[in-house]
Amino acid sequence: MEYQKIANEIRFFCADMVQEANSGHPGAPMGLADIAVILSQHISINPSEPHWINRDRLVFSGGHASALLYVLLYVWGYDISLQDLYDFRKINSKTPGHPEYKHTQGVEITTGPLGQGVANAVGFAMAAKRAQNILGKEIIDHKIYCFCGDGDLQEGVSYESCSLAGHHRLDNLILIYDSNNISIEGDIGIAFSENVRTRFEAQGFFVLEINGHNYNEIDFALQQAKKSEAPTLIIAKTKIAKNAYKLEGSHHAHGAPLGRDIIQESKKKLGLSPKTFYLSYDTKAYFTHVKLRGEQNYQEWQKKLQNSKRKNILESLLQKDHSSIVFPDFSKRYDETQQKINNYVTLHITNSMATRSSNAAILNAIAKANIGFMGGSADLGPSNNTTIIDSDDFPNGKNLHFGIREHAMGAISNAFANYGIFTPYCATFFAFSDYLSPSIRIASLMNAQIFYIFTHDSIGVGEDGATHQPIEQLSHFRAMPNLLNWRPADANENVCAWKNALKIKKPQTFILTRQNLPIIESPYITTDNVGKGAYIISPSQYTHITLTLLASGSEVSLAIKAQQKLESNNVATQVVSMPCYDLLIEQDEKYVKDLFKDSKVLGIEALRSFELYRYANDIICMQGFGASGKGNLLFEKFGFNVDNICNKAQSLL
């Protein structure tokens, strides 16, 4: 059967989906249909084993082309029914407006905002290179395909990620650029005129230019890309809404249904069946070879795996078992210089430690026990303390160097998490977390287990000033669903936080100090207590509690010092440490009642922290941005000191 008729049936099936939903984007799916038909001869997947580690990955960076992706998954043999295609963009369907990971079988990653998918594809290619280094080329030799468009390449994240792809010579990466010169506002020439070929060649890519509707050129380009020794960009010149009567090439076809009349006139002109949601027997038969070829490739791969000496390594990576980690014990490392607060709590002052420093020891302990635990920093490894000491750099080891590319770092980490055998972390200063916030949001949508190490957590940063002192960032992340944010009070609480975090399959941030903090010796710092999100770290000496000081991070030890003064003035005061606000709000009413009792609650965080009013009667927090100066003096300036806490408490009572 001729490719043209197959492609036309696919493109108008997509148009019917958008028309039925009365919502969506027909233009890109129709323009890419020809390439999709030929790609089906090259891609190696096995819908019967959708999580096969050596499958090719296909990423739609332009999630608005989802109609085409869903049709491909349907004809390739994934768990997508004809009814699912009828239900495109409807509530509770398997076919939402933009593809979502774990929601629809065969979708490799949630892309969402433009540019994310390009960076995700780079991340998949990097993950595959690391996997190949661990398991060998006979076990890992697949490719990463990515459809992207003009909008993806205009977003800065694509530049960041492709720069890294070229640097690492990722020859397993094939970007297919749907170059139709159309954006929502019209011709891309109104805002985009750079030479894309030259840009990618400068980044180290092998670049091909083809007619995206010429089947011989498409096939030849894919063959060349698979043999390339560098990452490949195929610039495919296409027409948006290809073969749509009157609307072909128009920006009006990007984000709205074509209209039933235009669809019917186009089908008639092309000699297609007037039926909606129609694929002929021959078209369906054409795509069955994808599944058959994939099953054969999978069986051949299984034979290689059974004969491989690294089979056990793959099994270990797939299990992601953290039970053998030997965590550092920070409670036995300190001398006699201490401050006794009550019968339960001691602050070790002289041998204090920044939580970024304790975190370094924890990361190395985890990495020592888990070959798939890996990550790195956006050029801040020595400051974030995120280097794995006894390991090489990517691809030979666990240390990733992202360069100063926070946005790409976040999206690449998403792909590492979804690859199937890795547990990734990435790091930067907390003030710079804004740069990777879009990727963290996508990770939260996917419930991907990624650890974000954010150091220099408050005005305690000091002399670098307000530009580097995060104020509102933690409140932003606390507002994000499915994201857990840990702000440990000291090294021991940090260990307990990690013990909990590794068991929770969600993205999680660790908000850590630059400055040293006293080590808190308390029998209440346990994994179970920390796992509740908040707990009484320093109880009152009195039976009936009048006041609760609620704090996190560096402010916990400050609250304990204030407690000592308040109790000496006969104010029955307890201190509640809140390492994870997000877990606290999940606790039942009884736990919260037992935690705060009938006391007045004063929240203390050197951040904006207005969300603490959920539990607190009043809070001591930042009312504006910070300033430049020594961290301890800034704490005094902005009221984070014992005297101000005591005065606030007295006013509250």
Side-chain angles (χ1 to χ4, degrees):
M1 185 181 183
E2 62 176 24
Y3 295 138
Q4 184 69 63
K5 187 173 182 182
I6 298 171
N8 281 335
E9 288 191 5
I10 291 295
R11 59 171 46 100
F12 280 97
F13 197 106
C14 293
D16 285 338
M17 289 171 62
V18 175
Q19 192 66 48
E20 174 69 19
N22 197 27
S23 169
H25 307 78
M30 297 178 75
L32 283 167
D34 300 299
I35 299 172
V37 168
I38 301 303
L39 178 64
S40 296
Q41 296 182 359
H42 292 265
I43 196 166
S44 178
I45 53 178
N46 183 10
S48 300
E49 296 287 343
H51 303 298
W52 174 33
I53 197 68
N54 197 42
R55 68 190 182 278
D56 289 342
R57 270 68 165 180
L58 174 60
V59 178
F60 272 62
S61 188
H64 55 267
S66 60
L68 177 60
L69 175 58
Y70 296 142
V71 174
L72 289 176
L73 295 178
Y74 169 65
V75 296
W76 286 346
Y78 284 94
D79 184 23
I80 298 286
S81 68
L82 183 59
Q83 185 62 48
D84 292 325
L85 301 180
Y86 271 102
D87 291 339
F88 179 54
R89 286 182 159 245
K90 295 177 183 176
I91 293 176
N92 299 325
S93 74
K94 288 183 183 178
T95 50
H98 288 71
E100 296 181 22
Y101 179 65
K102 292 182 181 176
H103 187 86
T104 310
Q105 190 186 79
V107 171
E108 299 288 357
I109 199 159
T110 304
T111 49
L114 290 177
Q116 281 281 324
V118 173
N120 296 152
V122 172
F124 277 133
M126 291 177 67
K129 284 298 182 184
R130 176 61 182 147
Q132 190 177 78
N133 180 274
I134 298 171
L135 299 169
K137 291 184 178 181
E138 72 279 5
I139 304 300
I140 303 294
D141 64 353
H142 64 87
K143 298 294 184 182
I144 313 299
Y145 296 96
C146 176
F147 284 130
C148 61
D150 296 296
D152 295 294
L153 298 192
Q154 289 178 50
E155 290 285 1
V157 65
S158 68
Y159 182 92
E160 290 184 21
S161 56
C162 289
S163 173
L164 202 55
H167 173 77
H168 286 299
R169 304 286 290 175
L170 299 178
D171 58 1
N172 54 350
L173 174 65
I174 301 171
L175 300 182
I176 302 169
Y177 170 29
D178 178 26
S179 179
N180 59 31
N181 292 323
I182 293 295
S183 63
I184 291 175
E185 294 183 355
D187 189 285
I188 64 167
I190 61 175
F192 188 64
S193 57
E194 68 189 54
N195 187 321
V196 172
R197 180 186 189 114
T198 302
R199 164 183 158 183
F200 275 82
E201 286 177 340
Q203 290 181 314
F205 274 67
F206 172 52
V207 182
L208 296 163
E209 291 190 63
I210 64 170
N211 176 346
H213 305 300
N214 183 301
Y215 302 105
N216 290 330
E217 289 187 27
I218 296 167
D219 184 61
F220 179 76
L222 289 171
Q223 290 184 42
Q224 292 295 106
K226 290 195 292 187
K227 294 185 290 187
S228 173
E229 295 181 355
T232 299
L233 175 72
I234 299 173
I235 302 175
K237 293 294 182 179
T238 63
K239 291 184 178 180
I240 193 170
K242 173 68 174 174
N243 288 345
Y245 178 69
K246 290 184 179 179
L247 283 177
E248 179 183 282
S250 169
H251 69 279
H252 294 294
H254 168 76
L258 300 179
R260 298 189 190 279
D261 290 344
I262 287 180
I263 292 175
Q264 286 303 314
E265 287 185 53
S266 301
K267 287 180 178 180
K268 183 177 180 180
K269 183 178 179 182
L270 295 167
L272 300 177
S273 169
K275 297 178 182 178
T276 59
F277 290 83
Y278 176 78
L279 295 176
S280 66
Y281 174 83
D282 289 341
T283 292
K284 291 179 181 177
Y286 169 81
F287 289 103
T288 58
H289 74 276
V290 176
K291 188 172 184 178
L292 293 173
R293 184 179 67 245
E295 289 174 347
Q296 181 179 349
N297 291 345
Y298 177 75
Q299 293 303 325
E300 292 174 357
W301 178 84
Q302 279 287 355
K303 292 176 183 177
K304 293 179 183 178
L305 180 64
Q306 297 307 318
N307 296 325
S308 173
K309 295 179 181 178
R310 305 188 192 186
K311 178 184 175 184
N312 291 338
I313 298 176
L314 176 57
E315 291 175 349
S316 174
L317 284 165
L318 290 169
Q319 289 173 0
K320 296 187 178 181
D321 183 11
H322 301 298
S323 61
S324 61
I325 301 170
V326 180
F327 286 95
D329 184 354
F330 297 103
S331 63
K332 299 177 181 178
R333 298 179 57 187
Y334 299 91
D335 64 18
E336 296 302 316
T337 305
Q338 56 186 256
Q339 182 178 348
K340 196 79 171 178
I341 302 300
N342 54 36
N343 294 329
Y344 305 102
V345 179
T346 299
L347 296 180
H348 295 270
I349 306 299
T350 302
N351 292 308
S352 56
M353 175 182 280
T355 47
R356 65 168 175 169
S357 300
S358 61
N359 206 66
I362 295 168
L363 290 179
N364 276 271
I366 299 170
K368 187 174 183 180
N370 292 273
I371 192 172
F373 185 79
M374 62 181 297
S377 172
D379 196 49
L380 289 169
S383 295
N384 298 146
N385 292 4
T386 49
T387 301
I388 305 303
I389 303 300
D390 297 324
S391 182
D392 291 330
D393 293 338
F394 171 86
N396 301 315
K398 301 178 180 181
N399 289 304
L400 291 167
H401 297 283
F402 293 102
I404 307 165
R405 303 182 182 95
E406 289 91 350
H407 199 173
M409 176 176 73
I412 287 169
S413 296
N414 286 353
F416 265 90
N418 283 19
Y419 188 78
I421 59 177
F422 297 111
T423 304
Y425 68 87
C426 60
T428 188
F429 289 168
F430 194 27
F432 304 160
S433 64
D434 293 337
Y435 283 125
L436 63 154
S437 180
S439 300
I440 297 176
R441 185 175 187 273
I442 295 297
S444 300
L445 275 165
M446 297 189 296
N447 273 321
Q449 192 183 48
I450 303 168
F451 300 107
Y452 306 96
I453 313 302
F454 295 137
T455 66
H456 298 58
D457 74 326
S458 72
I459 57 173
V461 171
E463 292 89 341
D464 278 335
T467 62
H468 282 51
Q469 293 166 9
I471 300 301
E472 76 282 6
Q473 281 77 6
L474 184 51
S475 293
H476 170 207
F477 287 133
R478 282 172 173 167
M480 196 174 290
N482 301 334
L483 179 67
L484 301 184
N485 303 279
W486 299 94
R487 191 169 183 246
D490 76 338
N492 293 318
E493 200 174 81
N494 201 8
V495 169
C496 293
W498 271 102
K499 287 180 178 179
N500 282 286
L502 289 167
K503 298 175 185 177
I504 302 171
K505 304 305 180 184
K506 289 184 177 183
Q508 298 169 69
T509 72
F510 277 79
I511 317 299
L512 308 171
T513 66
R514 171 183 182 264
Q515 74 274 24
N516 287 343
L517 303 180
I519 301 299
I520 303 170
E521 189 176 297
S522 167
Y524 302 101
I525 303 177
T526 66
T527 302
D528 286 344
N529 280 344
V530 172
K532 298 291 188 183
Y535 65 99
I536 300 169
I537 190 172
S538 183
S540 172
Q541 300 180 66
Y542 298 93
T543 303
H544 300 290
I545 309 303
T546 305
L547 177 70
T548 296
L549 300 179
L550 174 65
S552 72
S554 54
E555 290 78 73
V556 173
S557 54
L558 173 62
I560 293 173
K561 291 177 183 177
Q563 176 197 26
Q564 185 179 34
K565 182 174 181 180
L566 287 163
E567 293 237 303
S568 69
N569 290 324
N570 300 318
V571 178
T573 306
Q574 65 175 6
V575 176
V576 169
S577 177
M578 185 184 61
C580 186
Y581 173 88
D582 315 277
L583 287 176
L584 173 59
I585 63 176
E586 293 181 6
Q587 304 308 311
D588 59 32
E589 186 177 344
K590 182 180 184 304
Y591 182 81
V592 174
K593 177 72 173 175
D594 291 343
L595 186 65
F596 296 116
K597 304 176 175 62
D598 293 321
S599 66
K600 294 289 187 180
V601 179
L602 178 62
I604 309 166
E605 282 190 326
L607 307 160
R608 288 291 271 174
S609 305
F610 290 164
E611 62 274 11
L612 295 194
Y613 278 116
R614 180 167 183 154
Y615 302 106
N617 301 99
D618 198 2
I619 58 175
I620 299 174
C621 67
M622 292 297 294
Q623 301 299 325
F625 291 105
S628 181
K630 292 189 179 299
N632 60 326
L633 298 180
L634 292 177
F635 267 70
E636 288 287 336
K637 171 182 173 63
F638 292 107
F640 298 96
N641 57 65
V642 170
D643 287 343
N644 190 50
I645 293 171
C646 292
N647 290 336
K648 276 275 190 179
Q650 293 289 358
S651 299
L652 183 61
L653 297 174

